[in-house]
Amino acid sequence: MKTRFSSLVLALLLLFILPLPASATLVVPLELDELARSSSIIAYGEVLEINSRWTDDRHQIITEVSFQVIDAVQGCEAGESLSFYTLGGSVGKLGQVVSGEASFVKGEKAVVFLEQRGDKLGVVGLGQGQWTVDHDAQCNCELARPRLEGLGFVAIQAVEEPSPTVRQRAMVTELGVDAKLAPMPLDALLKHLAELLAEP
C-alpha cells in the first residue's frame, strides 16, 4: 500500500509540476560510470540489420538489431556479431514508438551499452545507452553522441513525512541540460570507459 501511494504521488508530481513535453519519458540521468558499470557488454561497432516483429503474445513490437563489433570494451571481442533488441518498431502498416528508447538504422556506427535481460540483450538506460558515431568537422574526429531525444531528466528524492497516514513522499526536480551525457570524441570515450572499468 505504501509503495502504491508513493508511486501515485510521484506520478501526480510529474504530471502537474514538470513542464516537459507530453511525449517525453522521464528518467534519472546516468553518469558515464553508472552506465558502464550497469552494462555486461560495451562495444563500438556497426549495425548490420534491423528486424521488427511482434512478441510471442502479440502485445508489443520489438526490434532485433544485428551488430558487428569493431572495438570491444567489455564482454565481447572485436569482429564478434551481437544481437540485441529495442522496444518499438514497425511491422507492416503498424508501428509502435517508445519515447526515448534507443533506435538504430542499418549502417549506423555506434557505441552500445548492453545488459542481459533473460535470454536476450537490451540497451541500458533507453537512449542513454546508444552513442551514435559520426565524423564531426569541427573537431575533425569521430564524435560519439548519446541519443537523448524523447528523454526528460529528473532527480527524485524521498522526503520523510511525520504524518501517520503519509509516511513518505517524493520530491521531483527537473534537471537542466547540464545533467545530460555530453558528446565525446570516440577515441576519448573508449579510453575513458576502459579506465573506468579498470578501477576497483
Side-chain angles (χ1 to χ4, degrees):
M1 185 67 177
K2 176 180 176 181
T3 302
R4 290 180 61 187
F5 185 85
S6 298
S7 300
L8 177 59
V9 171
L10 174 58
L12 291 174
L13 282 169
L14 295 177
L15 180 61
F16 294 109
I17 296 178
L18 298 181
L20 294 168
S23 60
T25 296
L26 303 178
V27 297
V28 176
L30 294 172
E31 299 287 346
L32 191 56
D33 62 335
E34 294 176 297
L35 194 58
R37 296 184 193 283
S38 298
S39 304
S40 54
I41 292 177
I42 305 173
Y44 164 60
E46 182 176 355
V47 177
L48 301 180
E49 295 288 344
I50 56 173
N51 180 44
S52 298
R53 63 173 179 83
W54 288 100
T55 54
D56 292 341
D57 58 12
R58 297 192 63 81
H59 287 167
Q60 190 173 37
I61 294 175
I62 62 173
T63 296
E64 294 181 340
V65 181
S66 297
F67 188 82
Q68 183 78 37
V69 178
I70 297 172
D71 197 342
V73 178
Q74 173 175 269
C76 60
E77 300 290 338
E80 185 176 348
S81 294
L82 302 175
S83 178
F84 57 89
Y85 78 95
T86 61
L87 301 177
S90 299
V91 177
K93 296 182 179 180
L94 297 177
Q96 289 182 347
V97 176
V98 177
S99 184
E101 172 66 303
S103 179
F104 297 85
V105 295
K106 184 177 179 179
E108 173 185 346
K109 291 184 177 179
V111 177
V112 294
F113 297 78
L114 306 176
E115 62 184 354
Q116 198 70 42
R117 299 175 185 169
D119 61 348
K120 299 182 185 298
L121 290 169
V123 181
V124 177
L126 301 173
Q128 296 177 93
Q130 174 190 2
W131 291 57
T132 299
V133 177
D134 293 300
H135 184 77
D136 184 79
Q138 186 172 356
C139 71
N140 192 28
C141 67
E142 299 302 299
L143 193 66
R145 297 180 176 87
R147 187 184 187 280
L148 305 179
E149 295 86 352
L151 291 175
F153 293 94
V154 296
I156 302 173
Q157 181 180 2
V159 179
E160 297 296 330
E161 291 281 356
S163 167
T165 56
V166 182
R167 297 183 180 179
Q168 191 178 67
R169 64 184 176 89
M171 183 170 68
V172 183
T173 306
E174 181 186 359
L175 301 177
V177 294
D178 291 343
K180 299 179 181 180
L181 296 164
M184 293 179 65
L186 174 62
D187 289 346
L189 174 61
L190 296 178
K191 180 180 178 181
H192 185 51
L193 288 170
E195 291 172 348
L196 284 174
L197 294 168
E199 295 175 359

